[in-house]
Amino acid sequence: MSLTLEAYHRLTPLPREGGFLYVKPGARGYRDPVYEALQKAVAPFGERALDLNPGVGWASLPLEGRMAVERLETSRAAFRCLERSGLRARLAPPWEAEEGAYDLVVLTLPAGRGTAYVEATLVAAARALRLGGRAYLAGDKNKGFERYFKEAKALFGYGEVIRREGPVRVALLEKEKEAPPLPALWRSFQARLFGETFTFHHLPGVFSAGKVDPASILLLQALRQALGPEGVRGKRVLDLGAGYGALTLPLARWGGEVTAVEDDLVSVLSLERSLAENRLRARVLHSDVDEALTEGERFDIIVTNPPFHVGGAVILDVAQAFVEAAAARLMPGGGFFLVANPFLKYEPLLEERFGAFKTLLVREYKVLYAQKEGGRR
């Protein structure tokens, strides 16, 4: 049975000392062995602590009530949980941490976001600590822990592994020297799509940094073949999981009235800058699937290149929620375009929610199309 939109958005309370910890589908950090190992290892040190990759807040929970704990989170889904749990958090990338302000830093390595993001996060952690401050670093040795731990020791001055659980490692580091400046964060690249040139600007950690991914190009090709070059002009278009704008920018240039929703704040910031630099307009919302949209909003066309990696595991909750949101948010007669890896079985879900679907293109990826029947809700 598919995950309903209501079930996806539901926050579930788990009892904890002094209250509840809320979790939900699509929010990382719960029932994750790296976060579990880190939670078992952390101990208070000093007065102020910072969690730089908190997810729902699981790893730094033992510090709550024993230190002043702050959390920087980029995921809207995870932030919704943190807020509901009453844990102190703000929406910000890790490199916005206050410099020299903390006695303790807690960090689950964001290995799935790529080397540039991890390295910027490690520098941010070192800069956030006062001299003599400590950091707990957790990760999976199959996902780069040894390499990143070595880099962290070079940054901090001292470190040792204090916990091993299968492939998971937890290290304790101490800041013995001044931290270097942050690396340059912004990058840009040009892409020529269907005869037009776009300049994309992005921060570390966004999906398909440095080039437009072939799945997005295939979706745009299928959309133009189905609707014609002028097919989106004047239409209300929703880009579900917009990333840095590989679909949003072309759709906006082709005359669509585009709303782009994206869970990751770093991608949102990248998309906003790319739109401005290309002199294009779209409405950009930091949103857990369709959570930031108003209740009655409907669209003529919905497109998505959905994610299927959350915290490094293959989890289809978010992608299923995208299909459910498309079914709920389309106008009668509106069309839904989805691109995916061939091995991901969206077809039964589309048939269940829309009654029928078409396969428009199949290459390295497949583009599926479903239409909302007139008068069907």
Side-chain angles (χ1 to χ4, degrees):
M1 183 175 173
S2 63
L3 180 74
T4 67
L5 201 54
E6 181 185 9
Y8 174 81
H9 284 306
R10 186 180 302 127
L11 276 64
T12 301
L14 305 174
R16 68 172 175 93
E17 185 180 342
F20 293 94
L21 181 78
Y22 283 82
V23 299
K24 71 174 297 295
R28 70 185 180 284
Y30 175 62
R31 289 182 175 168
D32 181 311
V34 179
Y35 283 86
E36 294 277 357
L38 186 53
Q39 191 198 56
K40 294 172 187 173
V42 296
F45 180 74
E47 297 179 356
R48 291 185 72 188
L50 175 67
D51 192 339
L52 278 179
N53 185 19
V56 299
W58 187 254
S60 53
L61 203 57
L63 305 176
E64 199 67 23
R66 297 168 176 84
M67 299 178 67
V69 186
E70 300 165 45
R71 298 164 180 87
L72 300 189
E73 180 52 61
T74 61
S75 164
R76 178 66 190 165
F79 186 74
R80 291 177 64 198
C81 295
L82 292 168
E83 266 196 322
R84 186 71 177 274
S85 299
L87 300 175
R88 185 177 178 185
R90 69 184 175 97
L91 286 163
W95 46 82
E96 288 189 12
E98 185 181 352
E99 188 175 349
Y102 301 93
D103 304 296
L104 183 65
V105 167
V106 176
L107 176 58
T108 304
L109 281 171
R113 303 204 61 166
T115 301
Y117 190 91
V118 176
E119 290 179 347
T121 303
L122 288 174
V123 174
R127 292 174 65 82
L129 279 176
R130 63 168 176 79
L131 279 172
R134 294 179 180 176
Y136 286 96
L137 182 71
D140 188 318
K141 71 181 183 67
N142 297 321
K143 298 175 183 176
F145 174 82
E146 298 297 343
R147 171 192 169 186
Y148 293 129
F149 174 48
K150 185 177 179 181
E151 291 184 17
K153 281 197 293 185
L155 279 171
F156 286 80
Y158 170 80
E160 64 175 313
V161 175
I162 61 171
R163 192 177 190 91
R164 293 175 173 84
E165 292 185 8
V168 175
R169 302 288 184 267
V170 181
L172 181 61
L173 300 114
E174 187 167 321
K175 182 175 176 178
E176 296 181 335
K177 57 186 181 179
E178 293 295 340
L182 284 166
L185 297 171
W186 283 101
R187 296 282 187 271
S188 65
F189 69 95
Q190 284 194 333
R192 193 156 178 83
L193 302 173
F194 305 95
E196 300 186 78
T197 300
F198 299 87
T199 302
F200 293 94
H201 298 261
H202 65 86
L203 291 161
V206 300
F207 169 70
S208 191
K211 65 175 183 178
V212 176
D213 65 293
S216 291
I217 295 172
L218 193 66
L219 186 150
L220 291 169
Q221 182 181 343
L223 183 144
R224 283 170 70 91
Q225 288 180 3
L227 304 180
E230 297 291 311
V232 299
R233 186 165 301 280
K235 300 288 181 63
R236 298 195 70 213
V237 182
L238 176 65
D239 185 354
L240 275 170
Y244 62 70
L247 299 177
T248 298
L249 267 66
L251 292 168
R253 185 165 287 178
W254 297 342
E257 297 175 8
V258 185
T259 295
V261 295
E262 170 56 50
D263 176 75
D264 173 48
L265 178 62
V266 173
S267 297
V268 167
L269 297 172
S270 302
L271 174 52
E272 288 176 336
R273 179 168 177 183
S274 290
L275 285 165
E277 297 280 355
N278 286 270
R279 298 183 180 180
L280 293 169
R281 295 184 64 182
R283 174 186 175 215
V284 182
L285 300 175
H286 189 205
S287 181
D288 180 11
V289 187
D290 66 337
E291 160 260 343
L293 298 173
T294 59
E295 187 176 344
E297 282 192 79
R298 299 293 183 268
F299 299 86
D300 303 301
I301 299 166
I302 298 179
V303 299
T304 189
N305 180 2
F308 65 97
H309 289 90
V310 177
V314 178
I315 298 176
L316 290 173
D317 287 351
V318 176
Q320 285 192 19
F322 278 13
V323 175
E324 295 293 330
R329 297 287 181 175
L330 272 177
M331 295 283 288
F336 176 44
F337 295 82
L338 179 149
V339 65
N341 285 286
F343 64 84
L344 296 174
K345 303 302 180 187
Y346 288 103
E347 290 85 350
L349 190 56
L350 290 175
E351 195 159 16
E352 178 186 336
R353 296 304 287 118
F354 292 92
F357 69 93
K358 295 177 182 176
T359 303
L360 297 182
L361 284 176
V362 181
R363 290 183 191 162
E364 185 183 351
Y365 301 91
K366 62 185 176 185
V367 181
L368 306 177
Y369 173 77
Q371 189 169 23
K372 188 161 187 175
E373 293 179 5
R376 179 169 173 168
R377 299 190 64 177

